[in-house]
């Protein structure tokens, strides 16, 4: 099961296959969850059209911060049949765009996003695919090292590894 989701995620993101999806619109909503240290974590959720549950994917944004490009990306993932959650690891902690220094506490924000996604009522009960951009893959690798059994695969776009 773990490898199947990983390959499905990789094949779908590279355009080699498309899961069957019902006609309709992707539903996008925003909420706020809590990190383990009690900090607020803004989260954007994109739900595919049709009846779930759906394979879970977490999108981890770049160090430039959350903007319309990230929302477009998660909409695309959801349109391909993935329930997609994107924690904003910057704005809840009042971190400016393009931070030079890594704040280790932000790793708690990303992990809170994973917990939220795994408990989401529309998510399949299976390991999660992680999609990261720029600094996002760094968070993905850190999270996979800590919670490997919960992670199916990591897709990295322009991976920027800290230090």
């Amino acid at each position: 099961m773990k490898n199947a989701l990983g390959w499905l995620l990789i094949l779908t993101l590279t355009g080699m296959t498309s899961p069957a999806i019902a006609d309709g619109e992707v539903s996008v909503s925003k909420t706020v969850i809590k990190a383990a240290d009690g900090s607020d974590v803004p989260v954007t959720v994109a739900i595919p059209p049709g009846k779930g549950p759906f394979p879970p994917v977490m999108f981890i944004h770049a160090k430039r911060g959350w903007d319309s490009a990230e929302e477009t990306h998660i909409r695309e993932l959801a349109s391909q049949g993935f329930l997609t959650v994107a924690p904003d690891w910057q704005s809840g902690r009042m971190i400016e765009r393009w931070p030079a220094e890594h704040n280790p506490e932000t790793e708690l924000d990303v992990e809170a996003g994973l917990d939220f996604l795994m408990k989401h009522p529309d998510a399949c009960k299976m390991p999660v695919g992680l999609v990261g951009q720029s600094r996002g893959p760094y968070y993905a690798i850190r999270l996979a090292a800590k919670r490997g059994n919960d992670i199916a695969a990591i897709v990295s776009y322009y991976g920027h590894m800290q230090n």
Side-chain angles (χ1 to χ4, degrees):
M1 178 73 79
K2 189 174 190 175
N3 289 338
L5 176 63
W7 282 112
L8 176 63
L9 179 64
I10 291 165
L11 293 174
T12 300
L13 293 175
T14 59
M16 295 174 68
T17 187
S18 290
I21 324 175
D23 289 331
E25 292 293 318
V26 168
S27 168
V28 177
S29 62
K30 297 185 183 289
T31 190
V32 176
I33 60 175
K34 294 286 185 185
D37 65 357
S39 296
D40 287 343
V41 182
V43 174
T44 305
V45 180
I47 301 175
K51 185 176 178 352
F54 305 101
V57 168
M58 185 165 68
F59 179 81
I60 309 169
H61 69 78
K63 71 179 194 169
R64 74 172 181 271
W66 183 263
D67 62 27
S68 62
E70 278 68 30
E71 186 150 334
T72 298
H73 200 128
I74 69 166
R75 279 182 180 277
E76 178 63 26
L77 288 167
S79 76
Q80 294 176 25
F82 298 102
L83 171 64
T84 308
V85 167
D88 182 347
W89 54 266
Q90 285 177 314
S91 66
R93 294 182 186 272
M94 309 301 178
I95 297 173
E96 295 290 325
R97 291 172 58 95
W98 298 99
E101 297 294 319
H102 175 65
N103 178 344
E105 292 172 342
T106 58
E107 293 176 31
L108 299 174
D109 301 357
V110 174
E111 187 170 11
L114 176 66
D115 292 334
F116 174 78
L117 175 55
M118 292 181 73
K119 293 175 186 169
H120 197 284
D122 288 325
C124 291
K125 304 304 177 208
M126 62 193 317
V128 173
L130 302 178
V131 176
Q133 189 175 31
S134 179
R135 193 171 285 179
Y138 174 77
Y139 286 95
I141 290 169
R142 299 280 298 178
L143 190 54
K146 184 176 182 181
R147 306 259 306 261
N149 289 335
D150 294 331
I151 308 303
I154 297 172
V155 175
S156 170
Y157 291 104
Y158 317 106
H160 167 83
M161 301 304 136
Q162 242 351 77
N163 300 325

Short mmCIF file of all heavy atoms in Angstrom, two decimals, residues 116-154:
data_model
loop_
_atom_site.label_atom_id
_atom_site.label_comp_id
_atom_site.label_asym_id
_atom_site.label_seq_id
_atom_site.Cartn_x
_atom_site.Cartn_y
_atom_site.Cartn_z
N PHE A 116 -3.36 16.80 11.18
CA PHE A 116 -4.67 17.26 10.74
C PHE A 116 -5.13 16.48 9.50
O PHE A 116 -6.28 16.02 9.43
CB PHE A 116 -4.61 18.76 10.44
CG PHE A 116 -5.85 19.34 9.85
CD1 PHE A 116 -6.95 19.63 10.65
CD2 PHE A 116 -5.93 19.60 8.49
CE1 PHE A 116 -8.11 20.17 10.10
CE2 PHE A 116 -7.08 20.15 7.93
CZ PHE A 116 -8.17 20.42 8.74
N LEU A 117 -4.24 16.31 8.53
CA LEU A 117 -4.57 15.60 7.30
C LEU A 117 -4.92 14.14 7.59
O LEU A 117 -5.90 13.61 7.07
CB LEU A 117 -3.41 15.69 6.31
CG LEU A 117 -3.53 14.91 5.00
CD1 LEU A 117 -4.80 15.28 4.24
CD2 LEU A 117 -2.30 15.14 4.14
N MET A 118 -4.13 13.49 8.43
CA MET A 118 -4.35 12.07 8.71
C MET A 118 -5.68 11.83 9.44
O MET A 118 -6.26 10.75 9.32
CB MET A 118 -3.18 11.50 9.49
CG MET A 118 -1.90 11.43 8.67
SD MET A 118 -0.51 10.72 9.55
CE MET A 118 -1.03 9.00 9.56
N LYS A 119 -6.16 12.84 10.16
CA LYS A 119 -7.43 12.71 10.88
C LYS A 119 -8.62 13.26 10.09
O LYS A 119 -9.76 13.15 10.53
CB LYS A 119 -7.34 13.45 12.22
CG LYS A 119 -6.38 12.82 13.19
CD LYS A 119 -6.24 13.65 14.44
CE LYS A 119 -5.17 13.09 15.35
NZ LYS A 119 -4.83 14.01 16.44
N HIS A 120 -8.35 13.85 8.93
CA HIS A 120 -9.43 14.46 8.13
C HIS A 120 -10.43 13.37 7.72
O HIS A 120 -10.03 12.30 7.25
CB HIS A 120 -8.84 15.15 6.90
CG HIS A 120 -9.78 16.11 6.27
ND1 HIS A 120 -10.84 15.70 5.49
CD2 HIS A 120 -9.84 17.45 6.31
CE1 HIS A 120 -11.50 16.75 5.07
NE2 HIS A 120 -10.91 17.84 5.55
N PRO A 121 -11.72 13.63 7.88
CA PRO A 121 -12.72 12.60 7.56
C PRO A 121 -12.77 12.21 6.08
O PRO A 121 -13.24 11.11 5.77
CB PRO A 121 -14.05 13.24 7.99
CG PRO A 121 -13.78 14.70 8.10
CD PRO A 121 -12.32 14.86 8.40
N ASP A 122 -12.25 13.03 5.18
CA ASP A 122 -12.25 12.70 3.76
C ASP A 122 -10.95 12.06 3.29
O ASP A 122 -10.78 11.82 2.09
CB ASP A 122 -12.53 13.96 2.92
CG ASP A 122 -13.97 14.42 3.04
OD1 ASP A 122 -14.87 13.57 3.15
OD2 ASP A 122 -14.19 15.64 3.05
N ALA A 123 -10.01 11.80 4.21
CA ALA A 123 -8.72 11.21 3.84
C ALA A 123 -8.76 9.70 3.97
O ALA A 123 -9.27 9.16 4.96
CB ALA A 123 -7.61 11.77 4.73
N CYS A 124 -8.20 9.01 2.97
CA CYS A 124 -7.99 7.57 3.08
C CYS A 124 -7.07 7.33 4.28
O CYS A 124 -6.16 8.13 4.54
CB CYS A 124 -7.32 7.01 1.83
SG CYS A 124 -8.34 7.03 0.35
N LYS A 125 -7.26 6.26 4.96
CA LYS A 125 -6.43 5.90 6.11
C LYS A 125 -5.20 5.16 5.60
O LYS A 125 -5.16 3.94 5.52
CB LYS A 125 -7.21 5.06 7.12
CG LYS A 125 -8.47 5.73 7.62
CD LYS A 125 -8.20 7.09 8.21
CE LYS A 125 -9.48 7.78 8.63
NZ LYS A 125 -9.39 9.22 8.60
N MET A 126 -4.22 5.92 5.18
CA MET A 126 -3.00 5.38 4.58
C MET A 126 -1.88 6.40 4.74
O MET A 126 -2.13 7.55 5.11
CB MET A 126 -3.25 5.09 3.10
CG MET A 126 -3.60 6.34 2.30
SD MET A 126 -4.26 6.06 0.62
CE MET A 126 -3.24 4.81 -0.02
N PRO A 127 -0.63 6.02 4.49
CA PRO A 127 0.46 6.99 4.54
C PRO A 127 0.25 8.15 3.57
O PRO A 127 -0.40 8.00 2.54
CB PRO A 127 1.70 6.16 4.17
CG PRO A 127 1.33 4.77 4.55
CD PRO A 127 -0.14 4.66 4.25
N VAL A 128 0.81 9.28 3.92
CA VAL A 128 0.60 10.55 3.22
C VAL A 128 1.73 10.81 2.23
O VAL A 128 2.90 10.57 2.54
CB VAL A 128 0.52 11.69 4.26
CG1 VAL A 128 0.48 13.05 3.60
CG2 VAL A 128 -0.67 11.48 5.18
N GLY A 129 1.38 11.34 1.07
CA GLY A 129 2.38 11.82 0.13
C GLY A 129 2.73 13.26 0.47
O GLY A 129 1.84 14.04 0.82
N LEU A 130 4.00 13.60 0.43
CA LEU A 130 4.44 14.97 0.72
C LEU A 130 4.97 15.60 -0.56
O LEU A 130 5.77 14.99 -1.27
CB LEU A 130 5.56 14.98 1.77
CG LEU A 130 5.25 14.35 3.12
CD1 LEU A 130 6.48 14.42 4.03
CD2 LEU A 130 4.06 15.02 3.78
N VAL A 131 4.49 16.81 -0.85
CA VAL A 131 4.98 17.57 -1.99
C VAL A 131 5.55 18.87 -1.43
O VAL A 131 4.85 19.61 -0.74
CB VAL A 131 3.85 17.89 -3.00
CG1 VAL A 131 4.36 18.76 -4.13
CG2 VAL A 131 3.25 16.59 -3.53
N GLY A 132 6.83 19.12 -1.68
CA GLY A 132 7.46 20.32 -1.16
C GLY A 132 8.14 21.12 -2.24
O GLY A 132 8.63 20.56 -3.23
N GLN A 133 8.17 22.42 -2.03
CA GLN A 133 8.79 23.32 -3.00
C GLN A 133 9.82 24.18 -2.26
O GLN A 133 9.54 24.69 -1.17
CB GLN A 133 7.71 24.19 -3.62
CG GLN A 133 8.17 25.01 -4.77
CD GLN A 133 7.01 25.75 -5.40
OE1 GLN A 133 6.05 26.11 -4.74
NE2 GLN A 133 7.11 25.99 -6.69
N SER A 134 11.00 24.34 -2.83
CA SER A 134 12.07 25.15 -2.26
C SER A 134 12.45 24.63 -0.88
O SER A 134 13.01 23.56 -0.77
CB SER A 134 11.65 26.62 -2.24
OG SER A 134 12.65 27.44 -1.67
N ARG A 135 12.11 25.33 0.18
CA ARG A 135 12.44 24.85 1.51
C ARG A 135 11.49 23.74 1.96
O ARG A 135 11.76 23.00 2.89
CB ARG A 135 12.41 25.99 2.53
CG ARG A 135 13.06 25.59 3.85
CD ARG A 135 13.24 26.73 4.80
NE ARG A 135 14.35 27.57 4.38
CZ ARG A 135 14.72 28.66 5.02
NH1 ARG A 135 14.09 29.04 6.10
NH2 ARG A 135 15.72 29.38 4.57
N GLY A 136 10.35 23.58 1.28
CA GLY A 136 9.38 22.54 1.63
C GLY A 136 9.97 21.13 1.69
O GLY A 136 9.66 20.38 2.62
N PRO A 137 10.81 20.72 0.74
CA PRO A 137 11.39 19.38 0.82
C PRO A 137 12.26 19.17 2.06
O PRO A 137 12.37 18.05 2.56
CB PRO A 137 12.22 19.27 -0.47
CG PRO A 137 11.52 20.18 -1.41
CD PRO A 137 11.06 21.34 -0.56
N TYR A 138 12.89 20.23 2.53
CA TYR A 138 13.65 20.11 3.78
C TYR A 138 12.72 19.69 4.92
O TYR A 138 13.01 18.76 5.67
CB TYR A 138 14.33 21.44 4.11
CG TYR A 138 15.01 21.45 5.46
CD1 TYR A 138 16.23 20.81 5.64
CD2 TYR A 138 14.44 22.09 6.55
CE1 TYR A 138 16.86 20.81 6.88
CE2 TYR A 138 15.06 22.10 7.79
CZ TYR A 138 16.27 21.46 7.95
OH TYR A 138 16.88 21.46 9.18
N TYR A 139 11.56 20.36 5.02
CA TYR A 139 10.58 19.99 6.03
C TYR A 139 10.09 18.56 5.80
O TYR A 139 9.90 17.80 6.75
CB TYR A 139 9.39 20.95 6.00
CG TYR A 139 9.68 22.30 6.58
CD1 TYR A 139 10.04 23.35 5.75
CD2 TYR A 139 9.58 22.53 7.94
CE1 TYR A 139 10.31 24.61 6.27
CE2 TYR A 139 9.84 23.79 8.47
CZ TYR A 139 10.20 24.81 7.63
OH TYR A 139 10.47 26.05 8.16
N ALA A 140 9.87 18.19 4.54
CA ALA A 140 9.39 16.85 4.22
C ALA A 140 10.38 15.78 4.67
O ALA A 140 9.99 14.77 5.28
CB ALA A 140 9.13 16.74 2.71
N ILE A 141 11.66 15.99 4.40
CA ILE A 141 12.68 15.02 4.80
C ILE A 141 12.78 14.94 6.32
O ILE A 141 12.88 13.85 6.89
CB ILE A 141 14.04 15.37 4.16
CG1 ILE A 141 13.95 15.10 2.66
CG2 ILE A 141 15.18 14.59 4.79
CD1 ILE A 141 15.11 15.64 1.86
N ARG A 142 12.74 16.08 6.99
CA ARG A 142 12.77 16.08 8.46
C ARG A 142 11.57 15.33 9.03
O ARG A 142 11.70 14.55 9.97
CB ARG A 142 12.79 17.51 9.00
CG ARG A 142 13.97 18.35 8.58
CD ARG A 142 15.18 18.10 9.37
NE ARG A 142 14.91 18.45 10.77
CZ ARG A 142 15.79 18.30 11.74
NH1 ARG A 142 16.97 17.81 11.48
NH2 ARG A 142 15.49 18.64 12.96
N LEU A 143 10.41 15.55 8.45
CA LEU A 143 9.20 14.90 8.92
C LEU A 143 9.25 13.40 8.64
O LEU A 143 8.87 12.59 9.48
CB LEU A 143 7.97 15.53 8.24
CG LEU A 143 6.61 15.14 8.77
CD1 LEU A 143 6.48 15.37 10.27
CD2 LEU A 143 5.53 15.92 8.04
N ALA A 144 9.74 13.00 7.48
CA ALA A 144 9.86 11.58 7.14
C ALA A 144 10.84 10.88 8.08
O ALA A 144 10.62 9.72 8.45
CB ALA A 144 10.29 11.42 5.69
N ALA A 145 11.91 11.57 8.48
CA ALA A 145 12.86 10.97 9.41
C ALA A 145 12.21 10.73 10.77
O ALA A 145 12.51 9.75 11.45
CB ALA A 145 14.09 11.87 9.57
N LYS A 146 11.31 11.62 11.15
CA LYS A 146 10.64 11.51 12.45
C LYS A 146 9.43 10.59 12.40
O LYS A 146 9.15 9.88 13.36
CB LYS A 146 10.21 12.92 12.88
CG LYS A 146 9.58 12.99 14.24
CD LYS A 146 9.29 14.45 14.61
CE LYS A 146 8.68 14.55 15.99
NZ LYS A 146 8.37 15.95 16.34
N ARG A 147 8.68 10.61 11.29
CA ARG A 147 7.40 9.90 11.20
C ARG A 147 7.34 9.05 9.93
O ARG A 147 6.36 9.08 9.20
CB ARG A 147 6.26 10.92 11.18
CG ARG A 147 6.21 11.94 12.30
CD ARG A 147 5.22 11.60 13.37
NE ARG A 147 3.88 11.36 12.89
CZ ARG A 147 2.89 12.25 12.92
NH1 ARG A 147 3.09 13.47 13.40
NH2 ARG A 147 1.69 11.92 12.49
N GLY A 148 8.37 8.29 9.68
CA GLY A 148 8.49 7.52 8.45
C GLY A 148 7.31 6.63 8.12
O GLY A 148 6.95 6.48 6.95
N ASN A 149 6.69 6.01 9.11
CA ASN A 149 5.56 5.13 8.84
C ASN A 149 4.33 5.87 8.34
O ASN A 149 3.42 5.26 7.78
CB ASN A 149 5.20 4.31 10.08
CG ASN A 149 6.24 3.27 10.40
OD1 ASN A 149 6.97 2.82 9.52
ND2 ASN A 149 6.32 2.87 11.65
N ASP A 150 4.28 7.18 8.55
CA ASP A 150 3.15 7.99 8.12
C ASP A 150 3.34 8.60 6.73
O ASP A 150 2.44 9.24 6.21
CB ASP A 150 2.89 9.13 9.12
CG ASP A 150 2.45 8.61 10.47
OD1 ASP A 150 1.83 7.53 10.53
OD2 ASP A 150 2.72 9.29 11.48
N ILE A 151 4.52 8.39 6.14
CA ILE A 151 4.87 9.04 4.87
C ILE A 151 4.99 7.99 3.76
O ILE A 151 5.73 7.02 3.90
CB ILE A 151 6.19 9.83 4.99
CG1 ILE A 151 6.18 10.78 6.18
CG2 ILE A 151 6.52 10.55 3.69
CD1 ILE A 151 5.06 11.79 6.20
N ALA A 152 4.28 8.21 2.65
CA ALA A 152 4.33 7.29 1.51
C ALA A 152 5.45 7.65 0.54
O ALA A 152 6.16 6.78 0.05
CB ALA A 152 3.00 7.29 0.77
N ALA A 153 5.59 8.94 0.25
CA ALA A 153 6.56 9.40 -0.75
C ALA A 153 6.79 10.88 -0.57
O ALA A 153 5.97 11.58 0.02
CB ALA A 153 6.05 9.11 -2.16
N ILE A 154 7.92 11.35 -1.09
CA ILE A 154 8.23 12.79 -1.09
C ILE A 154 8.50 13.20 -2.53
O ILE A 154 9.28 12.55 -3.24
CB ILE A 154 9.47 13.11 -0.23
CG1 ILE A 154 9.22 12.77 1.24
CG2 ILE A 154 9.87 14.58 -0.40
CD1 ILE A 154 10.45 12.88 2.11
#
